[in-house]
Amino acid sequence: MQLTTSDADWTKQCNRCTCMWVSGRKTANCSNKDFNVIPRDLSTAVRDIDFSNNPLYNLNDNELGEAKLADIHKLKFQNCSIEFL
């Protein structure tokens, strides 16, 4: 399978996360990256994100919207010590 330019570009907009195709979805693995806020520079093409094992104590009302991640299908926040949602 050959990637188009637009397919290849989204994997480079991942901050310190690892972006890849998983089960037909654009996925970002952001686990264990010591994030204390949702990164604002992830590709808007990402649909599944794993934020597990990050100190994300507070998630504000529009945190994903401000990061332009409004079309997420699946989020994982395992072991994030979330105290305020």
Side-chain angles (χ1 to χ4, degrees):
M1 176 176 142
Q2 185 175 353
L3 294 177
T4 66
T5 302
S6 62
D7 286 334
D9 288 345
W10 77 272
T11 62
K12 294 178 178 152
Q13 298 173 352
C14 290
N15 192 295
R16 298 179 316 211
C17 304
T18 302
C19 289
M20 65 201 124
W21 284 95
V22 176
S23 300
R25 286 198 172 159
K26 294 176 180 178
T27 302
N29 181 348
C30 300
S31 63
N32 298 300
K33 300 295 182 187
D34 204 32
F35 287 122
N36 57 9
V37 296
I38 302 295
R40 300 290 193 256
D41 55 355
L42 288 173
S43 170
T44 58
V46 172
R47 296 298 172 253
D48 295 357
I49 306 174
D50 183 355
F51 285 113
S52 296
N53 302 306
N54 285 290
L56 292 167
Y57 303 110
N58 299 309
L59 292 176
N60 297 318
D61 288 347
N62 197 25
E63 189 111 14
L64 294 170
E66 290 171 8
K68 296 182 176 57
L69 298 172
D71 197 19
I72 299 299
H73 297 184
K74 182 179 176 183
L75 288 168
K76 187 174 181 181
F77 290 104
Q78 186 173 348
N79 298 320
C80 288
S81 302
I82 296 173
E83 295 176 359
F84 176 76
L85 191 58

